[in-house]
Amino acid sequence: MTSEHDKRPQGGLQDEAVALEHAAERLSDRFPEVPKEQIDQLVEEHYEQYEDAPVRDFVPVLVEHEVRTELDAENAAAE
């Protein structure tokens, strides 16, 4: 079974995956108190929202921004 996501050019998918990995690393550096597994899960959850997005160029940037915003809000609520 092939999804629309699988029909994109392979280079684009690989670049997007690398960009998401780098975003998760930056988020881990910014939020060292949050387990890496939790950050990876949040990145994946937010990424899924863009599964059908026709324009992919900014998906990793948007995902990173959304996860950072969510973690900032959690930190503010905990203070």
mmCIF file of all heavy atoms in Angstrom, residues 9-54:
data_model
loop_
_atom_site.group_PDB
_atom_site.id
_atom_site.type_symbol
_atom_site.label_atom_id
_atom_site.label_comp_id
_atom_site.label_asym_id
_atom_site.label_seq_id
_atom_site.Cartn_x
_atom_site.Cartn_y
_atom_site.Cartn_z
ATOM 1 N N PRO A 9 9.379 12.520 -4.386
ATOM 2 C CA PRO A 9 10.734 12.135 -4.777
ATOM 3 C C PRO A 9 11.550 11.724 -3.554
ATOM 4 O O PRO A 9 11.490 12.369 -2.509
ATOM 5 C CB PRO A 9 11.305 13.415 -5.400
ATOM 6 C CG PRO A 9 10.124 14.254 -5.732
ATOM 7 C CD PRO A 9 9.025 13.853 -4.799
ATOM 8 N N GLN A 10 12.315 10.647 -3.687
ATOM 9 C CA GLN A 10 13.072 10.112 -2.560
ATOM 10 C C GLN A 10 14.033 11.131 -1.975
ATOM 11 O O GLN A 10 14.201 11.193 -0.770
ATOM 12 C CB GLN A 10 13.826 8.849 -2.974
ATOM 13 C CG GLN A 10 12.926 7.648 -3.094
ATOM 14 C CD GLN A 10 12.347 7.203 -1.764
ATOM 15 O OE1 GLN A 10 11.979 8.003 -0.897
ATOM 16 N NE2 GLN A 10 12.235 5.922 -1.586
ATOM 17 N N GLY A 11 14.714 11.911 -2.794
ATOM 18 C CA GLY A 11 15.638 12.916 -2.278
ATOM 19 C C GLY A 11 14.947 13.892 -1.368
ATOM 20 O O GLY A 11 15.476 14.285 -0.332
ATOM 21 N N GLY A 12 13.718 14.280 -1.726
ATOM 22 C CA GLY A 12 12.950 15.199 -0.902
ATOM 23 C C GLY A 12 12.589 14.602 0.435
ATOM 24 O O GLY A 12 12.656 15.266 1.464
ATOM 25 N N LEU A 13 12.222 13.331 0.443
ATOM 26 C CA LEU A 13 11.889 12.654 1.695
ATOM 27 C C LEU A 13 13.112 12.521 2.584
ATOM 28 O O LEU A 13 13.037 12.710 3.787
ATOM 29 C CB LEU A 13 11.316 11.256 1.411
ATOM 30 C CG LEU A 13 9.902 11.194 0.885
ATOM 31 C CD1 LEU A 13 9.520 9.753 0.583
ATOM 32 C CD2 LEU A 13 8.936 11.791 1.877
ATOM 33 N N GLN A 14 14.246 12.198 1.985
ATOM 34 C CA GLN A 14 15.475 12.058 2.767
ATOM 35 C C GLN A 14 15.895 13.395 3.347
ATOM 36 O O GLN A 14 16.288 13.479 4.516
ATOM 37 C CB GLN A 14 16.583 11.466 1.903
ATOM 38 C CG GLN A 14 16.330 10.012 1.546
ATOM 39 C CD GLN A 14 17.295 9.484 0.516
ATOM 40 O OE1 GLN A 14 17.991 10.232 -0.153
ATOM 41 N NE2 GLN A 14 17.327 8.172 0.383
ATOM 42 N N ASP A 15 15.816 14.455 2.547
ATOM 43 C CA ASP A 15 16.161 15.796 3.035
ATOM 44 C C ASP A 15 15.237 16.212 4.176
ATOM 45 O O ASP A 15 15.680 16.793 5.160
ATOM 46 C CB ASP A 15 16.071 16.831 1.910
ATOM 47 C CG ASP A 15 17.131 16.642 0.843
ATOM 48 O OD1 ASP A 15 18.114 15.907 1.095
ATOM 49 O OD2 ASP A 15 16.976 17.236 -0.243
ATOM 50 N N GLU A 16 13.957 15.914 4.023
ATOM 51 C CA GLU A 16 12.981 16.262 5.049
ATOM 52 C C GLU A 16 13.265 15.490 6.336
ATOM 53 O O GLU A 16 13.215 16.050 7.435
ATOM 54 C CB GLU A 16 11.576 15.956 4.536
ATOM 55 C CG GLU A 16 10.476 16.574 5.327
ATOM 56 C CD GLU A 16 9.148 16.442 4.613
ATOM 57 O OE1 GLU A 16 8.469 15.426 4.842
ATOM 58 O OE2 GLU A 16 8.802 17.356 3.832
ATOM 59 N N ALA A 17 13.594 14.216 6.212
ATOM 60 C CA ALA A 17 13.904 13.395 7.386
ATOM 61 C C ALA A 17 15.139 13.925 8.111
ATOM 62 O O ALA A 17 15.154 14.009 9.346
ATOM 63 C CB ALA A 17 14.106 11.939 6.975
ATOM 64 N N VAL A 18 16.151 14.301 7.361
ATOM 65 C CA VAL A 18 17.371 14.849 7.961
ATOM 66 C C VAL A 18 17.057 16.169 8.661
ATOM 67 O O VAL A 18 17.510 16.417 9.780
ATOM 68 C CB VAL A 18 18.477 15.030 6.898
ATOM 69 C CG1 VAL A 18 19.643 15.845 7.436
ATOM 70 C CG2 VAL A 18 18.958 13.680 6.400
ATOM 71 N N ALA A 19 16.269 17.020 8.016
ATOM 72 C CA ALA A 19 15.901 18.306 8.610
ATOM 73 C C ALA A 19 15.116 18.097 9.909
ATOM 74 O O ALA A 19 15.314 18.824 10.884
ATOM 75 C CB ALA A 19 15.096 19.142 7.622
ATOM 76 N N LEU A 20 14.251 17.101 9.942
ATOM 77 C CA LEU A 20 13.484 16.809 11.157
ATOM 78 C C LEU A 20 14.389 16.271 12.260
ATOM 79 O O LEU A 20 14.208 16.609 13.433
ATOM 80 C CB LEU A 20 12.362 15.815 10.859
ATOM 81 C CG LEU A 20 11.190 16.400 10.069
ATOM 82 C CD1 LEU A 20 10.301 15.287 9.547
ATOM 83 C CD2 LEU A 20 10.396 17.379 10.915
ATOM 84 N N GLU A 21 15.369 15.458 11.901
ATOM 85 C CA GLU A 21 16.334 14.962 12.893
ATOM 86 C C GLU A 21 17.124 16.119 13.491
ATOM 87 O O GLU A 21 17.336 16.179 14.703
ATOM 88 C CB GLU A 21 17.288 13.958 12.256
ATOM 89 C CG GLU A 21 16.650 12.625 11.942
ATOM 90 C CD GLU A 21 17.589 11.696 11.183
ATOM 91 O OE1 GLU A 21 18.823 11.898 11.230
ATOM 92 O OE2 GLU A 21 17.084 10.769 10.544
ATOM 93 N N HIS A 22 17.550 17.046 12.637
ATOM 94 C CA HIS A 22 18.287 18.214 13.119
ATOM 95 C C HIS A 22 17.407 19.083 14.010
ATOM 96 O O HIS A 22 17.875 19.621 15.022
ATOM 97 C CB HIS A 22 18.836 19.031 11.950
ATOM 98 C CG HIS A 22 19.945 18.346 11.235
ATOM 99 N ND1 HIS A 22 20.441 18.796 10.038
ATOM 100 C CD2 HIS A 22 20.667 17.235 11.518
ATOM 101 C CE1 HIS A 22 21.415 18.004 9.632
ATOM 102 N NE2 HIS A 22 21.559 17.040 10.519
ATOM 103 N N ALA A 23 16.144 19.223 13.646
ATOM 104 C CA ALA A 23 15.214 19.999 14.475
ATOM 105 C C ALA A 23 15.074 19.354 15.846
ATOM 106 O O ALA A 23 15.099 20.042 16.869
ATOM 107 C CB ALA A 23 13.852 20.096 13.786
ATOM 108 N N ALA A 24 14.947 18.035 15.889
ATOM 109 C CA ALA A 24 14.821 17.329 17.164
ATOM 110 C C ALA A 24 16.086 17.516 18.006
ATOM 111 O O ALA A 24 16.002 17.687 19.231
ATOM 112 C CB ALA A 24 14.539 15.849 16.926
ATOM 113 N N GLU A 25 17.238 17.504 17.363
ATOM 114 C CA GLU A 25 18.497 17.725 18.088
ATOM 115 C C GLU A 25 18.544 19.136 18.680
ATOM 116 O O GLU A 25 18.948 19.320 19.835
ATOM 117 C CB GLU A 25 19.688 17.501 17.161
ATOM 118 C CG GLU A 25 19.893 16.053 16.789
ATOM 119 C CD GLU A 25 20.937 15.854 15.698
ATOM 120 O OE1 GLU A 25 21.673 16.807 15.364
ATOM 121 O OE2 GLU A 25 21.013 14.730 15.172
ATOM 122 N N ARG A 26 18.137 20.137 17.886
ATOM 123 C CA ARG A 26 18.122 21.518 18.392
ATOM 124 C C ARG A 26 17.149 21.652 19.563
ATOM 125 O O ARG A 26 17.434 22.333 20.556
ATOM 126 C CB ARG A 26 17.758 22.500 17.278
ATOM 127 C CG ARG A 26 18.883 22.740 16.285
ATOM 128 C CD ARG A 26 18.567 23.875 15.344
ATOM 129 N NE ARG A 26 17.405 23.610 14.503
ATOM 130 C CZ ARG A 26 17.453 22.960 13.339
ATOM 131 N NH1 ARG A 26 18.595 22.501 12.875
ATOM 132 N NH2 ARG A 26 16.357 22.791 12.640
ATOM 133 N N LEU A 27 16.002 21.004 19.445
ATOM 134 C CA LEU A 27 15.019 21.052 20.525
ATOM 135 C C LEU A 27 15.560 20.368 21.781
ATOM 136 O O LEU A 27 15.348 20.854 22.892
ATOM 137 C CB LEU A 27 13.711 20.407 20.073
ATOM 138 C CG LEU A 27 12.920 21.209 19.039
ATOM 139 C CD1 LEU A 27 11.907 20.327 18.327
ATOM 140 C CD2 LEU A 27 12.246 22.406 19.689
ATOM 141 N N SER A 28 16.269 19.274 21.616
ATOM 142 C CA SER A 28 16.874 18.590 22.761
ATOM 143 C C SER A 28 17.913 19.468 23.437
ATOM 144 O O SER A 28 18.015 19.490 24.667
ATOM 145 C CB SER A 28 17.519 17.274 22.322
ATOM 146 O OG SER A 28 16.540 16.343 21.970
ATOM 147 N N ASP A 29 18.668 20.199 22.634
ATOM 148 C CA ASP A 29 19.659 21.122 23.196
ATOM 149 C C ASP A 29 18.981 22.259 23.952
ATOM 150 O O ASP A 29 19.449 22.685 25.006
ATOM 151 C CB ASP A 29 20.545 21.703 22.089
ATOM 152 C CG ASP A 29 21.495 20.678 21.492
ATOM 153 O OD1 ASP A 29 21.702 19.610 22.108
ATOM 154 O OD2 ASP A 29 22.027 20.944 20.394
ATOM 155 N N ARG A 30 17.869 22.738 23.411
ATOM 156 C CA ARG A 30 17.167 23.861 24.038
ATOM 157 C C ARG A 30 16.402 23.443 25.293
ATOM 158 O O ARG A 30 16.220 24.234 26.217
ATOM 159 C CB ARG A 30 16.212 24.488 23.028
ATOM 160 C CG ARG A 30 15.476 25.681 23.583
ATOM 161 C CD ARG A 30 14.676 26.380 22.538
ATOM 162 N NE ARG A 30 13.912 27.446 23.147
ATOM 163 C CZ ARG A 30 13.604 28.568 22.554
ATOM 164 N NH1 ARG A 30 13.999 28.793 21.328
ATOM 165 N NH2 ARG A 30 12.895 29.471 23.164
ATOM 166 N N PHE A 31 15.931 22.199 25.294
ATOM 167 C CA PHE A 31 15.137 21.685 26.419
ATOM 168 C C PHE A 31 15.795 20.419 26.980
ATOM 169 O O PHE A 31 15.259 19.309 26.838
ATOM 170 C CB PHE A 31 13.703 21.372 25.964
ATOM 171 C CG PHE A 31 12.966 22.552 25.416
ATOM 172 C CD1 PHE A 31 12.906 22.792 24.052
ATOM 173 C CD2 PHE A 31 12.326 23.442 26.268
ATOM 174 C CE1 PHE A 31 12.229 23.891 23.538
ATOM 175 C CE2 PHE A 31 11.643 24.545 25.765
ATOM 176 C CZ PHE A 31 11.598 24.770 24.398
ATOM 177 N N PRO A 32 16.952 20.570 27.638
ATOM 178 C CA PRO A 32 17.666 19.386 28.129
ATOM 179 C C PRO A 32 16.905 18.614 29.218
ATOM 180 O O PRO A 32 17.176 17.434 29.436
ATOM 181 C CB PRO A 32 18.975 19.966 28.684
ATOM 182 C CG PRO A 32 18.694 21.398 28.948
ATOM 183 C CD PRO A 32 17.640 21.817 27.963
ATOM 184 N N GLU A 33 15.938 19.266 29.846
ATOM 185 C CA GLU A 33 15.160 18.605 30.896
ATOM 186 C C GLU A 33 14.081 17.682 30.329
ATOM 187 O O GLU A 33 13.492 16.885 31.051
ATOM 188 C CB GLU A 33 14.515 19.652 31.825
ATOM 189 C CG GLU A 33 13.393 20.461 31.203
ATOM 190 C CD GLU A 33 13.842 21.602 30.270
ATOM 191 O OE1 GLU A 33 15.051 21.813 30.083
ATOM 192 O OE2 GLU A 33 12.944 22.277 29.730
ATOM 193 N N VAL A 34 13.827 17.788 29.030
ATOM 194 C CA VAL A 34 12.804 16.962 28.380
ATOM 195 C C VAL A 34 13.493 15.742 27.767
ATOM 196 O O VAL A 34 14.465 15.891 27.021
ATOM 197 C CB VAL A 34 12.063 17.761 27.280
ATOM 198 C CG1 VAL A 34 11.027 16.893 26.586
ATOM 199 C CG2 VAL A 34 11.420 19.011 27.875
ATOM 200 N N PRO A 35 13.012 14.540 28.076
ATOM 201 C CA PRO A 35 13.627 13.342 27.501
ATOM 202 C C PRO A 35 13.598 13.378 25.963
ATOM 203 O O PRO A 35 12.615 13.821 25.362
ATOM 204 C CB PRO A 35 12.765 12.195 28.028
ATOM 205 C CG PRO A 35 12.063 12.755 29.217
ATOM 206 C CD PRO A 35 11.901 14.224 28.964
ATOM 207 N N LYS A 36 14.670 12.900 25.359
ATOM 208 C CA LYS A 36 14.794 12.900 23.898
ATOM 209 C C LYS A 36 13.634 12.134 23.260
ATOM 210 O O LYS A 36 13.126 12.533 22.214
ATOM 211 C CB LYS A 36 16.143 12.265 23.508
ATOM 212 C CG LYS A 36 16.359 12.109 22.021
ATOM 213 C CD LYS A 36 16.760 13.415 21.384
ATOM 214 C CE LYS A 36 17.286 13.205 19.974
ATOM 215 N NZ LYS A 36 16.296 13.336 18.935
ATOM 216 N N GLU A 37 13.210 11.064 23.895
ATOM 217 C CA GLU A 37 12.105 10.262 23.353
ATOM 218 C C GLU A 37 10.817 11.076 23.277
ATOM 219 O O GLU A 37 10.037 10.939 22.348
ATOM 220 C CB GLU A 37 11.873 8.997 24.200
ATOM 221 C CG GLU A 37 13.025 8.032 24.203
ATOM 222 C CD GLU A 37 14.166 8.448 25.136
ATOM 223 O OE1 GLU A 37 13.954 9.248 26.084
ATOM 224 O OE2 GLU A 37 15.292 7.985 24.906
ATOM 225 N N GLN A 38 10.597 11.938 24.280
ATOM 226 C CA GLN A 38 9.408 12.790 24.272
ATOM 227 C C GLN A 38 9.488 13.810 23.141
ATOM 228 O O GLN A 38 8.495 14.059 22.450
ATOM 229 C CB GLN A 38 9.247 13.504 25.611
ATOM 230 C CG GLN A 38 8.002 14.365 25.681
ATOM 231 C CD GLN A 38 7.847 15.085 27.013
ATOM 232 O OE1 GLN A 38 8.569 14.814 27.972
ATOM 233 N NE2 GLN A 38 6.896 15.997 27.073
ATOM 234 N N ILE A 39 10.651 14.383 22.942
ATOM 235 C CA ILE A 39 10.820 15.342 21.845
ATOM 236 C C ILE A 39 10.608 14.649 20.508
ATOM 237 O O ILE A 39 9.909 15.170 19.635
ATOM 238 C CB ILE A 39 12.199 16.027 21.925
ATOM 239 C CG1 ILE A 39 12.205 16.971 23.130
ATOM 240 C CG2 ILE A 39 12.530 16.760 20.624
ATOM 241 C CD1 ILE A 39 13.520 17.639 23.418
ATOM 242 N N ASP A 40 11.180 13.469 20.340
ATOM 243 C CA ASP A 40 10.996 12.723 19.093
ATOM 244 C C ASP A 40 9.511 12.434 18.851
ATOM 245 O O ASP A 40 9.035 12.542 17.713
ATOM 246 C CB ASP A 40 11.785 11.417 19.119
ATOM 247 C CG ASP A 40 13.286 11.619 19.069
ATOM 248 O OD1 ASP A 40 13.738 12.719 18.660
ATOM 249 O OD2 ASP A 40 14.021 10.681 19.424
ATOM 250 N N GLN A 41 8.793 12.079 19.904
ATOM 251 C CA GLN A 41 7.358 11.800 19.780
ATOM 252 C C GLN A 41 6.589 13.061 19.377
ATOM 253 O O GLN A 41 5.718 13.015 18.502
ATOM 254 C CB GLN A 41 6.806 11.234 21.099
ATOM 255 C CG GLN A 41 5.330 10.917 21.067
ATOM 256 C CD GLN A 41 4.995 9.802 20.099
ATOM 257 O OE1 GLN A 41 5.773 8.886 19.894
ATOM 258 N NE2 GLN A 41 3.819 9.887 19.489
ATOM 259 N N LEU A 42 6.913 14.191 19.996
ATOM 260 C CA LEU A 42 6.245 15.444 19.648
ATOM 261 C C LEU A 42 6.531 15.834 18.200
ATOM 262 O O LEU A 42 5.622 16.273 17.473
ATOM 263 C CB LEU A 42 6.683 16.562 20.591
ATOM 264 C CG LEU A 42 6.148 16.482 22.011
ATOM 265 C CD1 LEU A 42 6.861 17.483 22.903
ATOM 266 C CD2 LEU A 42 4.649 16.716 22.025
ATOM 267 N N VAL A 43 7.768 15.673 17.782
ATOM 268 C CA VAL A 43 8.129 15.984 16.393
ATOM 269 C C VAL A 43 7.302 15.112 15.452
ATOM 270 O O VAL A 43 6.729 15.601 14.468
ATOM 271 C CB VAL A 43 9.646 15.805 16.159
ATOM 272 C CG1 VAL A 43 9.977 15.817 14.669
ATOM 273 C CG2 VAL A 43 10.427 16.895 16.888
ATOM 274 N N GLU A 44 7.216 13.834 15.750
ATOM 275 C CA GLU A 44 6.447 12.917 14.903
ATOM 276 C C GLU A 44 4.966 13.299 14.875
ATOM 277 O O GLU A 44 4.341 13.322 13.805
ATOM 278 C CB GLU A 44 6.606 11.479 15.408
ATOM 279 C CG GLU A 44 5.873 10.455 14.577
ATOM 280 C CD GLU A 44 6.387 10.311 13.157
ATOM 281 O OE1 GLU A 44 7.575 10.574 12.908
ATOM 282 O OE2 GLU A 44 5.585 9.951 12.279
ATOM 283 N N GLU A 45 4.405 13.613 16.038
ATOM 284 C CA GLU A 45 2.985 13.983 16.104
ATOM 285 C C GLU A 45 2.710 15.244 15.276
ATOM 286 O O GLU A 45 1.714 15.297 14.539
ATOM 287 C CB GLU A 45 2.561 14.212 17.544
ATOM 288 C CG GLU A 45 2.460 12.951 18.360
ATOM 289 C CD GLU A 45 2.247 13.209 19.842
ATOM 290 O OE1 GLU A 45 2.023 14.376 20.235
ATOM 291 O OE2 GLU A 45 2.296 12.231 20.608
ATOM 292 N N HIS A 46 3.550 16.240 15.405
ATOM 293 C CA HIS A 46 3.334 17.476 14.661
ATOM 294 C C HIS A 46 3.600 17.269 13.169
ATOM 295 O O HIS A 46 2.921 17.857 12.330
ATOM 296 C CB HIS A 46 4.197 18.609 15.226
ATOM 297 C CG HIS A 46 3.674 19.144 16.518
ATOM 298 N ND1 HIS A 46 2.759 20.167 16.580
ATOM 299 C CD2 HIS A 46 3.897 18.770 17.798
ATOM 300 C CE1 HIS A 46 2.459 20.414 17.847
ATOM 301 N NE2 HIS A 46 3.143 19.573 18.605
ATOM 302 N N TYR A 47 4.557 16.429 12.856
ATOM 303 C CA TYR A 47 4.870 16.128 11.457
ATOM 304 C C TYR A 47 3.684 15.475 10.757
ATOM 305 O O TYR A 47 3.397 15.776 9.604
ATOM 306 C CB TYR A 47 6.103 15.226 11.389
ATOM 307 C CG TYR A 47 6.474 14.794 9.995
ATOM 308 C CD1 TYR A 47 6.954 15.707 9.064
ATOM 309 C CD2 TYR A 47 6.356 13.464 9.604
ATOM 310 C CE1 TYR A 47 7.304 15.314 7.788
ATOM 311 C CE2 TYR A 47 6.701 13.069 8.338
ATOM 312 C CZ TYR A 47 7.176 13.986 7.427
ATOM 313 O OH TYR A 47 7.508 13.601 6.167
ATOM 314 N N GLU A 48 2.994 14.599 11.459
ATOM 315 C CA GLU A 48 1.847 13.900 10.870
ATOM 316 C C GLU A 48 0.766 14.863 10.394
ATOM 317 O O GLU A 48 0.029 14.553 9.465
ATOM 318 C CB GLU A 48 1.271 12.894 11.870
ATOM 319 C CG GLU A 48 2.160 11.697 12.078
ATOM 320 C CD GLU A 48 1.677 10.785 13.192
ATOM 321 O OE1 GLU A 48 0.640 11.084 13.837
ATOM 322 O OE2 GLU A 48 2.357 9.774 13.434
ATOM 323 N N GLN A 49 0.671 16.037 11.019
ATOM 324 C CA GLN A 49 -0.326 17.024 10.608
ATOM 325 C C GLN A 49 -0.088 17.515 9.183
ATOM 326 O O GLN A 49 -1.002 18.005 8.536
ATOM 327 C CB GLN A 49 -0.296 18.229 11.544
ATOM 328 C CG GLN A 49 -0.649 17.924 12.974
ATOM 329 C CD GLN A 49 -0.471 19.148 13.837
ATOM 330 O OE1 GLN A 49 -0.660 20.277 13.405
ATOM 331 N NE2 GLN A 49 -0.092 18.923 15.081
ATOM 332 N N TYR A 50 1.138 17.394 8.714
ATOM 333 C CA TYR A 50 1.511 17.907 7.391
ATOM 334 C C TYR A 50 1.653 16.793 6.355
ATOM 335 O O TYR A 50 2.176 17.022 5.273
ATOM 336 C CB TYR A 50 2.828 18.692 7.491
ATOM 337 C CG TYR A 50 2.694 19.917 8.346
ATOM 338 C CD1 TYR A 50 3.114 19.907 9.681
ATOM 339 C CD2 TYR A 50 2.120 21.074 7.842
ATOM 340 C CE1 TYR A 50 2.977 21.033 10.476
ATOM 341 C CE2 TYR A 50 1.978 22.199 8.639
ATOM 342 C CZ TYR A 50 2.411 22.165 9.949
ATOM 343 O OH TYR A 50 2.266 23.284 10.733
ATOM 344 N N GLU A 51 1.156 15.621 6.671
ATOM 345 C CA GLU A 51 1.306 14.474 5.784
ATOM 346 C C GLU A 51 0.800 14.767 4.365
ATOM 347 O O GLU A 51 1.413 14.357 3.388
ATOM 348 C CB GLU A 51 0.577 13.267 6.361
ATOM 349 C CG GLU A 51 0.790 12.017 5.550
ATOM 350 C CD GLU A 51 0.173 10.797 6.209
ATOM 351 O OE1 GLU A 51 -0.497 10.928 7.242
ATOM 352 O OE2 GLU A 51 0.369 9.716 5.656
ATOM 353 N N ASP A 52 -0.292 15.483 4.253
ATOM 354 C CA ASP A 52 -0.883 15.753 2.946
ATOM 355 C C ASP A 52 -0.560 17.146 2.416
ATOM 356 O O ASP A 52 -1.152 17.578 1.422
ATOM 357 C CB ASP A 52 -2.402 15.583 3.009
ATOM 358 C CG ASP A 52 -2.796 14.145 3.329
ATOM 359 O OD1 ASP A 52 -2.084 13.228 2.883
ATOM 360 O OD2 ASP A 52 -3.803 13.943 4.030
ATOM 361 N N ALA A 53 0.374 17.831 3.042
ATOM 362 C CA ALA A 53 0.717 19.185 2.596
ATOM 363 C C ALA A 53 1.352 19.128 1.208
ATOM 364 O O ALA A 53 2.312 18.393 0.996
ATOM 365 C CB ALA A 53 1.679 19.840 3.584
ATOM 366 N N PRO A 54 0.814 19.880 0.263
ATOM 367 C CA PRO A 54 1.363 19.834 -1.091
ATOM 368 C C PRO A 54 2.731 20.515 -1.203
ATOM 369 O O PRO A 54 3.540 20.130 -2.035
ATOM 370 C CB PRO A 54 0.309 20.556 -1.934
ATOM 371 C CG PRO A 54 -0.420 21.430 -0.969
ATOM 372 C CD PRO A 54 -0.358 20.739 0.359
#
